[in-house]
Amino acid sequence: MMEERARQAEDGAGFIRIENVSKSFGSFKAVDEVSLSISKGELFALLGGSGCGKTTLLRMLAGFETPDAGRIFIDGQDMAGVAPYDRPVNMMFQSYALFPHMTVEGNIGYGLKYEAMSDAERKDRVREMLELVQLTPLAGRKPHQISGGQRQRVALARALARQPKLLLLDEPLGALDKKLREHTQFELMNIQYKTGVTFVVVTHDQEEAMTLANRIAVMDKGVVRQIGSPTEIYENPKSRFVADFIGSINRFAAAIVYVKDGIAVLDCAELGQPLQARAEDGFEPGMRVTAAVRPEKITISRERPEAGNVLSAVVHDLGYFGKDSLYRLQLPTGKMISASVVNTRRAGENERIAQWDDAVFLAFDPASVILLRD
Amino acid sequence: MMERALPPSRFGQWFNTSGWRTIIIAAPYLWLTAFFFLPFLIVLAISLASNAGTSPPFQFAAEAPYVHADNFRRLISDDLFFRAYIASILNAGLTTALCLLIGYPMALALTRFSRSVRNILLMLVILPFWTSFLLRIYAWIGLMGANSWFNKGLTALYNLITPDAYALRFIPMMNTSFAVVLVMVYCYLPFMILPLYANLEKLDMTLNEAAMDLGSRPFQVFKDVTLPLSVPGIIAGGLLVFIPASGELVIPSLVGNSSTPLIGRVISDQFSYARDWPMAAAVAIALLVLLVGPMMAYTHFESRAQRRPGDDA
Ligand SMILES: Nc1ncnc2c1ncn2[C@@H]1O[C@H](COP(=O)(O)OP(=O)(O)OP(=O)(O)O)[C@@H](O)[C@H]1O
Ligand SMILES: [Mg+2]
């Protein structure tokens, strides 16, 4: 036991372990048999739609909810029966939950009030935190006298002041506007890097999760669907749910005809022609699968290109988003496909690759095709 | 033409030009003037007159300035009044403190129940109002009597914990200051609970969780978060109990003893037995100044304190 703990502390793996944790409200399973292992110093994201149990899982880590089943370990210590005020965990609440009757300084220092430390140490720590989030000039203000972005930073500083082993952040950027969000994302990553505290961030914004986190757990209806790095989750989703949830994707129902040299040839009625896809181990001829391609992996051209998969299509619709354009294209079978094109050149309305109702060719590599079992 | 183009503002124009707005805003002020300020002026005037055998039994001085402060001079010199004020304020203060001590946990507990249970419990708090105030006091008189089950039960309990030498047949409760405070706390408790509940119910529970998350134990959370944020409720409930309690007449005269008269009783006696309206009026005015003065000072400082942090923003 002692050895195990020492070993874990050394390489940091399994610093936080969630083992088969479940939680029901009445007959409703909010969190269902979740197991996660988070390393020390990691910035881990819990990603999922509204009501999928992210906050519930976070509240169990903080100690506000008791798991019905399963166990939670933080730095090797079993958290069962440990009250929130005794846990080496701090939380940044979605609504920030700043104390309205205390100043910025009072809020940040509150967590140190009952800590065994001298007044001088306490003062130093608060000053350090104020500097970390660049709020020193506002130390004497009350929460209602500062902006939303500043409040977010006070909440962060307050949660970090106790130097927790684990910091939980529930939708930390949820209340900020888009511009401020992007800026704050990097600030958050920077602070995480500086302090070295393990962060678990809850978000329903996939872009935010991808930007922030080293690793992401995608949740759906109380279940963790996939855990991996942003790249893994995006490029190698293991299920239709994850593929759909992260970014957008074109899907086709298909059946494997044969597999040769790691390339599967698929029969695909929706495309009206065979499809080539890179197949990992375990994909056998005869299997029914879903083939999926991301819009940005598809190129559009006027002349027939050389590629593993080439389709002809007609432009049905196009949308201009500044940095890229999204095309909706119709195949001869009637199936609609999305393709996005980065606008690398500065071009006028009439200089695009293709216009409405133009006939074009679509091409994508077999390696870009994701095969999903369900 | 123009009128048809702007139908919504037409009502607004009519409303403004016809002076309705002024009338609606003025109505409460007229009410206050007619039923509070004028009577107050009348009472003030009477307090500056002399007692007389006429009807109504007061008379203003015959020559300028027609008024005098003799009644107030007597008020200060006669320590009967002084003692009555002190007794009333102590009595009201004790009642308020006990109401707060009992009402605060009740109001706090109310907020912790589910909405449906909460409504039933709130109904129970208000329910006593549906019975006549006098009837409830008479019920207490019955309960406090020597032969009631309430008195017998308390006596048995008392005898159980005290040595036999001090055993009692019954506890003399009626016509004591204890009885006055007991019945006053009972009657005024809802006036403490309701504003406190309204205040506590609005508090954000995530603040409590945040404090607990930051290492505070439940009592520390209460002390640092709930209590300071409920100060407005405590003040509202406190005033709602303290002000009527300091002028209370009925309860002390029914269950209290006459050796320490309270101010309500003094006013009533001056008015009806002594038929000294000017003196009664002076006592009432002094009470009002005594109560309203600190209150106005408080609101003044409070609003200054709230403005100050904003000024440097
Ligand atoms: N105290 C509770 N009582 C009953 N049901 C609850 C309670 N707390 C949460 N739930 C339910 O559990 C489910 C998961 O809730 P949770 O707050 O964890 O969702 P979430 O993933 O954080 O969603 P969001 O992104 O909207 O915040 C929801 O369907 C919710 O209705
Ligand atoms: Mg949530």
Side-chain angles (χ1 to χ4, degrees), chain A residues 59 90-91 101 110 113-114, chain B residues 209 213-214 216-217 224 309:
Chain A
R59 288 172 60 81
N90 282 120
M91 180 146 164
H101 56 300
Y110 183 75
K113 189 167 173 181
Y114 301 109
Chain B
E209 285 186 346
D213 187 66
L214 291 165
S216 299
R217 275 140 212 289
D224 296 338

Side-chain angles (χ1 to χ4, degrees), chain B residues 8 13-14 25 46 144 151 190 203 209 212 245 264 277 281 290 292:
Chain B
Q13 269 174 18
W14 172 80
I25 294 171
I46 295 175
M144 289 187 292
N151 201 330
L203 297 188
E209 285 186 346
M212 198 175 271
W277 285 22
L290 228 57
V292 173

Side-chain angles (χ1 to χ4, degrees), chain A residues 227-355:
Chain A
I227 303 171
S229 68
T231 319
E232 271 176 301
I233 299 266
Y234 189 76
E235 304 292 1
N236 281 317
K238 290 280 179 269
S239 61
R240 247 164 68 177
F241 174 82
V242 175
D244 278 338
F245 190 80
I246 311 287
S248 54
I249 203 156
N250 298 294
R251 283 194 276 109
F252 322 103
I256 301 176
V257 182
Y258 63 86
V259 182
K260 191 168 157 247
D261 300 335
I263 301 288
V265 174
L266 305 148
D267 180 26
C268 183
E270 283 174 305
L271 294 184
Q273 66 178 78
L275 183 71
Q276 290 186 27
R278 195 175 62 193
E280 288 152 27
D281 291 347
F283 285 98
E284 307 286 341
M287 273 173 79
R288 302 211 61 83
V289 293
T290 301
V293 191
R294 299 230 178 252
E296 75 277 7
K297 303 283 195 289
I298 300 174
T299 55
I300 300 175
S301 48
R302 294 285 190 160
E303 275 88 50
R304 188 178 185 89
E306 276 305 309
N309 295 297
V310 180
L311 309 167
S312 56
V314 174
V315 177
H316 184 77
D317 206 352
L318 68 85
Y320 175 74
F321 296 111
K323 75 174 191 297
D324 53 10
S325 297
L326 184 69
Y327 286 79
R328 298 278 296 155
L329 304 124
Q330 192 164 31
L331 300 182
T333 56
K335 170 84 177 169
M336 299 296 279
I337 286 189
S338 303
S340 74
V341 175
V342 178
N343 298 323
T344 45
R345 284 188 314 120
R346 185 158 166 258
E349 308 247 323
N350 301 319
E351 303 164 64
R352 294 199 186 101
I353 311 171
Q355 295 290 357

Side-chain angles (χ1 to χ4, degrees), chain B residues 74-149:
Chain B
R74 206 178 119 204
L75 195 70
I76 295 167
S77 58
D78 191 340
D79 80 324
L80 163 86
F81 297 112
F82 182 73
R83 273 187 289 127
Y85 278 121
I86 294 293
S88 290
I89 282 170
L90 283 182
N91 191 48
L94 187 60
T95 303
T96 310
L98 287 174
C99 279
L100 183 63
L101 231 54
I102 300 167
Y104 199 102
M106 283 176 81
L108 197 58
L110 272 174
T111 64
R112 299 293 190 268
F113 283 101
S114 75
R115 214 146 256 293
S116 49
V117 179
R118 219 189 275 186
N119 285 338
I120 296 173
L121 294 175
L122 268 178
M123 268 297 291
L124 291 179
V125 172
I126 303 166
L127 202 62
F129 290 129
W130 292 7
T131 317
S132 146
F133 172 67
L134 275 180
L135 217 59
R136 284 183 283 138
I137 297 175
Y138 279 114
W140 270 109
I141 292 174
L143 280 179
M144 289 187 292
N147 292 320
S148 73
W149 60 265

Side-chain angles (χ1 to χ4, degrees), chain A residues 25 28 30 49-56 94 171 204:
Chain A
F25 295 107
F28 178 79
S50 188
C52 71
K54 306 178 298 279
T55 299
T56 309
Q94 184 162 7
E171 307 261 356
H204 63 256

